[in-house]
Amino acid sequence: MRAFCTTFAALAVAFPAVAAPKLQAWVTTGDKRQLLAEQRASRAVSARDVADLPVIAVDAKERHQSIVGFGASITDSSAWLIQNKLNAAQRDALLRELFGRANGGLGFSFARVTIGASDFSLDHYSLDDTPNGAPDPKLEHFSLKRPEQYVFPTVRAALRINPDLKVMHSPWSAPAWMKTTGSLVQGELKPEAYPVYADFFARYIKGAAKLGVPADYLSIQNEPDFEPDSYPGMRWKPEDRARFFGENLAPVFQREKIATKVLDWDHNWDKPDQPMTVLADAKARAFLAGVAWHCYAGDVSAQAPVTAAHPDKEVFLTECSGGEWAPKFDDSFSWMMENLIIGSTRGGSRGVLMWNLALDEKFGPHKGGCSDCRPLVTIDSQTGAITRTQEYYAFGHASRFVKPGATRIGSPARVGDLRTVAFQNPDGRRVLLVLNIGAGAADFAISDGVSQFKASLPARSAGTFTW
């Protein structure tokens, strides 16, 4: 017996007990008492210890889309503020906070830039403005001078911090001389301008690449079912977009050996029939990589039927803005978490983008359009001081922890007042995002089929849990 015990003790030294897995958590509460605040780590417990708790079951065998990332648009206004209202040290610190991962950085890995002006520009312009609006079929007036002033340097700085950053590009309007109105404001693309507009996109993508700015994704028109009356915009019907994709853009991209992935729609959840119409066209469908969505009308559930009908196409949420129409932190934080971070990714999105990365204390500068859109960060135009908004914290709950290349895995959409989405990072680490929409605190269990953890969230709060 003594010999057996001696042998067992020796085996115990040779094969030490494996420590129970550890759960780490970060929480943001609607009352702002906690803002991405790290919680005390906890060890796994036995199934008996959580027998009376509602369970969020995470299933790593159920695999969905891979993740490109989370981020925001580096608009003209954002870039101008970053380059002109921050000194070099402030600028570097902010970009490292937003695009880096060290020291609690958000690790943004997805960004969007405008091709020409939007409402968040200091003035209205295109990349091919001509004297008196004269036609320019050979694109002799094409120039990247404007984005090279502020936007492209900001993108390059972000890329130096995060080389994994993927960049999407979207125009608000074709050059005025291509349009029925002869203006950047309102109108449609003239049918005879389709060939030269395809050349325009090729010229832009290749020119941006030479300046160190990749074009990983492209949409051909921001919000093609809307003609704003105070800033650049252009209506583009789905049948006509399909024709442009198949008959104009696809041949030019093939000729120029351009590998940029092209997305249709880039507009709201309320009209899923529009991208479905485009994808019903065989030539367009063969060319397109996927569909981009905005949040301003309709419901996030609109993504699912389109995704189900075209499972081979990528899905992105490419624009949403907070604003003073929803000023309360708890309300807008909860909405962003439920609809964008959780709802959109559960609806197939590989990436999620907010609108302006940065604006000033007056929600600008802007030229027409939205006068009270809220950015992720506010830059004080006098001091350079940074204020982080509720959107910053909502996106941080995903971007800090869900790495590029992560896979969405199984978890329940709802457990009582809890809303969830789960991911597995390339290194195998699991990430579970949970939103408690309830008026009271919630205790629950997290189980991945092997380990169980006890967890809790205060009322009106969100947590990111990793193990």
Side-chain angles (χ1 to χ4, degrees):
M1 181 68 179
R2 182 178 300 156
F4 172 80
C5 291
T6 301
T7 302
F8 183 81
L11 286 171
V13 172
F15 301 100
V18 177
K22 184 185 294 186
L23 183 75
Q24 294 179 284
W26 290 259
V27 170
T28 295
T29 55
D31 61 11
K32 297 193 284 187
R33 292 182 181 179
Q34 298 187 71
L35 298 170
L36 268 173
E38 187 171 3
Q39 311 296 298
R40 184 175 180 178
S42 60
R43 293 286 184 184
V45 298
S46 71
R48 183 177 56 209
D49 292 327
V50 295
D52 296 330
L53 294 176
V55 177
I56 297 174
V58 175
D59 183 2
K61 294 180 181 178
E62 180 186 327
R63 303 180 72 80
H64 300 279
Q65 78 273 18
S66 63
I67 299 301
V68 169
F70 302 84
S73 291
I74 302 173
T75 57
D76 284 352
S77 297
S78 297
W80 182 82
L81 285 165
I82 289 168
Q83 297 296 331
N84 289 279
K85 297 300 180 179
L86 300 178
N87 62 38
Q90 291 172 319
R91 182 163 53 249
D92 183 67
L94 177 61
L95 292 175
R96 289 187 181 280
E97 178 181 346
L98 294 171
F99 294 96
R101 293 193 179 276
N103 304 313
L106 296 195
F108 282 168
S109 57
F110 192 28
R112 182 177 181 226
V113 301
T114 69
I115 302 175
S118 71
D119 46 334
F120 284 92
S121 298
L122 278 69
D123 61 297
H124 295 166
Y125 67 93
S126 81
L127 303 185
D128 198 308
D129 293 325
T130 60
N132 301 315
D136 185 23
K138 294 184 179 180
L139 299 177
E140 293 174 343
H141 291 272
F142 179 88
S143 173
L144 294 177
K145 181 178 179 180
R146 291 298 298 269
E148 185 59 17
Q149 283 182 303
Y150 309 117
V151 174
F152 283 2
T154 306
V155 175
R156 288 195 294 267
L159 280 162
R160 287 192 293 271
I161 295 166
N162 182 3
D164 291 329
L165 181 70
K166 302 300 182 187
V167 185
M168 177 186 177
H169 302 253
S170 305
W172 265 236
S173 172
W177 55 268
M178 295 188 189
K179 297 175 63 183
T180 55
T181 55
S183 168
L184 295 176
V185 179
Q186 299 185 319
E188 300 182 34
L189 190 67
K190 296 176 181 177
E192 60 267 29
Y194 279 35
V196 68
Y197 202 31
D199 290 337
F200 172 98
F201 282 117
R203 179 84 65 92
Y204 173 80
I205 289 169
K206 296 180 80 170
K210 288 180 180 178
L211 294 171
V213 175
D216 300 287
Y217 293 90
L218 169 76
S219 73
I220 60 168
Q221 178 58 44
N222 175 73
E223 301 188 343
D225 196 49
F226 178 48
E227 292 179 75
D229 61 6
S230 62
Y231 62 94
M234 188 171 80
R235 190 176 297 276
W236 206 341
K237 298 180 182 70
E239 298 85 355
D240 295 332
R241 298 198 306 274
R243 178 163 59 89
F244 180 77
F245 288 132
E247 297 180 9
N248 300 106
L249 199 60
V252 168
F253 275 27
Q254 183 177 14
R255 182 191 75 208
E256 299 295 330
K257 297 180 172 58
I258 292 173
T260 298
K261 294 183 176 182
V262 180
L263 307 175
D264 182 48
W265 194 217
D266 211 6
H267 207 170
N268 291 328
W269 290 320
D270 62 335
K271 294 186 178 179
D273 57 299
Q274 286 234 8
M276 289 291 280
T277 297
V278 172
L279 290 169
D281 181 283
K283 288 183 179 180
R285 184 171 65 252
F287 174 67
L288 286 169
V291 177
W293 299 93
H294 294 186
C295 76
Y296 304 113
D299 185 84
V300 66
S301 61
Q303 290 182 197
V306 180
T307 303
H310 297 280
D312 59 323
K313 300 304 180 187
E314 300 181 45
V315 181
F316 291 89
L317 191 290
T318 52
E319 187 184 313
C320 192
S321 184
E324 290 307 286
W325 57 85
K328 292 183 62 181
F329 184 99
D330 57 347
D331 287 342
S332 48
F333 172 78
S334 181
W335 191 94
M336 292 286 169
M337 286 295 304
E338 183 169 10
N339 289 278
L340 304 187
I341 304 303
I342 295 175
S344 183
T345 55
R346 291 193 70 90
S349 289
R350 299 191 65 207
V352 184
L353 291 168
M354 281 299 291
W355 184 205
N356 288 280
L357 183 69
L359 293 174
D360 67 19
E361 69 278 9
K362 297 179 181 178
F363 309 105
H366 67 94
K367 181 73 170 176
C370 184
S371 62
D372 59 354
C373 281
R374 192 167 51 233
L376 272 89
V377 297
T378 297
I379 297 174
D380 188 290
S381 60
Q382 302 302 314
T383 66
I386 304 297
T387 302
R388 294 153 189 85
T389 67
Q390 46 266 60
E391 289 77 21
Y392 171 100
Y393 293 105
F395 272 66
H397 269 282
S399 63
R400 271 184 62 180
F401 309 100
V402 181
K403 308 295 177 62
T407 300
R408 184 171 72 84
I409 58 177
S411 74
R414 301 183 176 201
V415 177
D417 285 334
L418 304 178
R419 307 290 183 263
T420 91
V421 66
F423 305 89
Q424 182 166 301
N425 280 327
D427 64 1
R429 194 162 183 82
R430 281 81 185 268
V431 181
L432 173 68
L433 280 68
V434 183
L435 171 69
N436 178 13
I437 66 169
D443 296 322
F444 53 95
I446 300 170
S447 173
D448 64 5
V450 176
S451 302
Q452 292 77 225
F453 305 93
K454 282 184 175 180
S456 63
L457 279 174
R460 303 278 283 171
S461 67
T464 299
F465 302 88
T466 72
W467 69 99

